[in-house]
């Protein structure tokens, strides 16, 4: 971006693309891993606020933490090995990415208030602006993007 002052062009330094804030953590699936992942995500959101000056609404923070919980819980329950949580954020959105060792793709079940459990992907689908699942050489990658919102 260039500001013009009395007809003079002054570079502001903000015309260079900025890389998203990225952090990743590895979990073995030991008891407490899901709580550790939520804490990692909360710290990430704090860092996003301080380093990116991102305005993260309370609802958006709750949504990010819930998406982390659901995706990490799925990885913990359905894979036979460790999993990785990767977070990527800007001032507009946070991508929650989970890699696990299972090649089985998650299924989203039809809405059924009588069903007990298996609502995780349904919840993520409602909270995320974008949701993608793909197989990778070591298993699968699930990526959900949550908008930070500005009301």
């Amino acid at each position: 971006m260039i500001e013009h002052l009395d007809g003079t062009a002054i570079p502001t330094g903000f015309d260079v693309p900025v890389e998203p804030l990225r952090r990743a953590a590895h979990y073995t699936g030991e008891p407490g891993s899901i709580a550790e992942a939520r804490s990692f995500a909360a710290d990430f959101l704090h860092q996003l606020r301080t380093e990116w000056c991102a305005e993260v609404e309370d609802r958006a923070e709750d949504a990010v933490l819930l998406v982390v919980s659901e995706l990490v819980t799925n990885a913990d329950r359905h894979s036979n090995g460790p999993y990785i949580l990767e977070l990527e954020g800007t001032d507009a959105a946070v991508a929650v990415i989970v890699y696990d060792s299972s090649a089985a793709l998650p299924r989203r079940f039809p809405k059924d208030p009588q069903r007990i459990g298996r609502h995780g992907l349904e919840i993520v689908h409602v909270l995320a602006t974008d949701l993608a699942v793909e197989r990778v050489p070591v298993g699968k990658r699930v990526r959900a993007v949550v908008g930070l919102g500005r009301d």
Side-chain angles (χ1 to χ4, degrees):
M1 181 180 236
I2 305 262
E3 292 180 13
H4 296 279
L5 183 62
D6 297 329
T8 306
I10 302 170
T12 63
F14 296 111
D15 52 347
V16 179
V18 178
E19 289 292 317
L21 179 64
R22 290 184 178 96
R23 297 290 178 264
H26 176 271
Y27 299 96
T28 61
E30 295 294 317
S33 292
I34 297 164
E36 287 176 28
R38 282 182 59 88
S39 178
F40 177 77
D43 291 344
F44 177 85
L45 290 169
H46 175 75
Q47 188 176 8
L48 196 61
R49 284 184 180 104
T50 57
E51 292 182 18
W52 267 78
C53 298
E55 294 180 26
V56 182
E57 294 181 355
D58 290 343
R59 287 186 68 162
E61 181 171 2
D62 292 344
V64 169
L65 296 178
L66 184 52
V67 167
V68 166
S69 292
E70 293 298 335
L71 295 183
V72 169
T73 297
N74 286 348
D76 191 72
R77 288 184 180 164
H78 302 293
S79 69
N80 294 320
Y83 44 92
I84 297 169
L85 168 63
E86 183 177 276
L87 299 171
E88 184 177 286
T90 66
D91 61 342
V94 171
V96 178
I97 305 145
V98 176
Y99 294 86
D100 70 46
S101 60
S102 172
L105 299 181
R107 291 180 43 207
R108 183 172 161 221
F109 295 93
K111 291 180 183 180
D112 180 359
Q114 301 300 317
R115 184 178 65 243
I116 298 173
R118 296 190 172 187
H119 293 281
L121 204 55
E122 184 179 339
I123 292 167
V124 172
H125 191 266
V126 168
L127 296 173
T129 59
D130 186 44
L131 178 62
V133 179
E134 66 179 336
R135 286 191 175 95
V136 294
V138 295
K140 71 175 163 296
R141 173 182 181 252
V142 180
R143 182 178 190 270
V145 178
V146 177
L148 297 181
R150 292 188 184 89
D151 291 340

